[in-house]
Each structure stands twice: as structure tokens, then as C-alpha cells.
Amino acid sequence: MIRNMIRASALDLEFFNRAERSSDMTLQALAVVVVANALAAVGSWIGYENTAGEDTWNALRGWLGIGGFPIPAEGGVLVVVGLGILSAVLGWVVWAATTSLIGTRVFNGTTDVGEMLRVLGFAQAPRVIGVIPFLGPVAAVWVLVASVVAIREGLDFSTGRAIGTAIGGWLVWVVLQQTTSVVLAAVF
């Protein structure tokens, strides 16, 4: 799995094409999503625990207009990691489904949800560097680039269409994530 994560992080086109075709790699893609996002959540928790991280989260809460943003640092790293993994797995499934739908219906690509789950799961591999506090933004950009490559290879079309598909899928996820955050903030 580590070798495959390295190949995905290196944007290896041959690897993404193999992952697209190999249905036996779906569980490994899920494991990549879980491991990479667990490590990134640890880095976020460490960053949140220091003053600069807390100030950043408070500024973000104010900017988003949601007072009790549900990041329960008092629950410890396990709560943060658990929520990070849950969010990542749900996001992975939603993004794979929406990119499959947008890519095939709007941009005439060829794929199915299983193929998109695999390529987008492996595209999460660079997120492991997020374990180092404040490298999360670097990881996010790297994952975005890897995701565009994964979408391009998974849907078998141009980079421009892959970017359009990624933006469309990302917008759907952001709306769902923000809606969920607001609901959780109201409940908790």
C-alpha cells in the first residue's frame, strides 16, 4: 500500500490507470483515505492545540458565521481523528459519485463510481504530510492536483474537463459539508 501511495503522490499516470481498472484495489483505496486523513487530523489537532492554531480556528469560525464550530479539542485527539476519518470517508464517497455523474453526463467521460472511488482514494495519499502541523494547506493543494490527474485518468478525457469535473464535485461536497457543520453546530 505504501508503494502505491508513493506512486499516487508522484502523479504516476500508469498507476492511476491500473487503479482505475483493478476492482481489487477498492479496499486499499479506502485504507489510503482512512490512514492519510487520520494522520492529517493528528496534525490539525496538534496545530489547534497551540495558540496560533486556536486563533486560526476562532478566526475561521467568525468568518463562516458559525459560533460553536464542532471541533471538540477537549475530547482529545481520538475525537478529532474519528471525526476526520468519518468526514473523509463520506467526502470520498460523495466526491466519487458526483465526479462520476458530472464527468459522464456533462463532459462525456467513461467511468463508474467504483473506478472513481479507487482513483480518488489514492489521490488522497499526499494528505499524509498533514501530520506535520501547518503543512495541511500544502497537502490540500497536492491532493487537489492528484485528484485532477486521477479524474482525468479515471474518466479518460482532457485535463480541462477533469478540472471542470473536479470543481463541480468539490462544490457539491462543500455545500454538503457546510450544511452538516451548521447543523452540528446548532445541535452541539
Side-chain angles (χ1 to χ4, degrees), residues 6 53 156-157 164-165 175:
I6 292 168
D156 304 311
F157 57 36
T165 302
V175 168

Side-chain angles (χ1 to χ4, degrees), residues 29 48 50-52 56-58 60 84 86 100 102 106 121-122 130-131 134 136 145 160 162 165 168 177 185-186:
Y48 179 82
N50 72 46
T51 306
T56 302
W57 279 116
N58 288 332
L60 181 62
L86 179 63
S100 178
I102 293 167
V106 177
F122 281 104
V131 73
F134 304 107
V145 171
T165 302
Q177 188 178 39

Side-chain angles (χ1 to χ4, degrees), residues 8-185:
S9 296
L11 310 178
D12 183 333
L13 302 182
E14 181 183 316
F15 171 75
F16 279 112
N17 283 302
R18 192 182 99 215
E20 173 192 6
R21 292 186 308 270
S22 302
S23 61
D24 61 328
M25 293 178 78
T26 305
L27 286 177
Q28 194 176 127
L30 170 63
V32 170
V33 171
V34 170
V35 169
N37 285 283
L39 290 171
V42 169
S44 293
W45 181 79
I46 292 167
Y48 179 82
E49 284 296 298
N50 72 46
T51 306
E54 191 173 339
D55 291 344
T56 302
W57 279 116
N58 288 332
L60 181 62
R61 279 184 242 175
W63 182 75
L64 292 173
I66 45 180
F69 196 68
I71 302 201
E74 65 275 355
V77 69
L78 293 179
V79 172
V80 173
V81 169
L83 289 173
I85 290 170
L86 179 63
S87 175
V89 171
L90 290 174
W92 172 57
V93 171
V94 168
W95 203 22
T98 56
T99 54
S100 178
L101 183 68
I102 293 167
T104 56
R105 301 284 168 94
V106 177
F107 294 108
N108 299 318
T110 56
T111 195
D112 60 40
V113 175
E115 290 176 355
M116 294 312 296
L117 282 169
R118 288 188 292 279
V119 295
L120 288 172
F122 281 104
Q124 294 284 317
R127 195 169 303 281
V128 299
I129 68 167
V131 73
I132 301 168
F134 304 107
L135 279 184
V138 173
V141 170
W142 195 350
V143 167
L144 178 61
V145 171
S147 295
V148 169
V149 170
I151 290 167
R152 183 186 69 201
E153 297 306 308
L155 281 154
D156 304 311
F157 57 36
S158 71
T159 301
R161 290 180 178 200
I163 291 169
T165 302
I167 291 169
W170 178 78
L171 287 173
V172 169
W173 171 240
V174 166
V175 168
L176 288 173
Q177 188 178 39
Q178 291 305 310
T179 303
T180 303
S181 295
V182 169
V183 169
L184 287 175

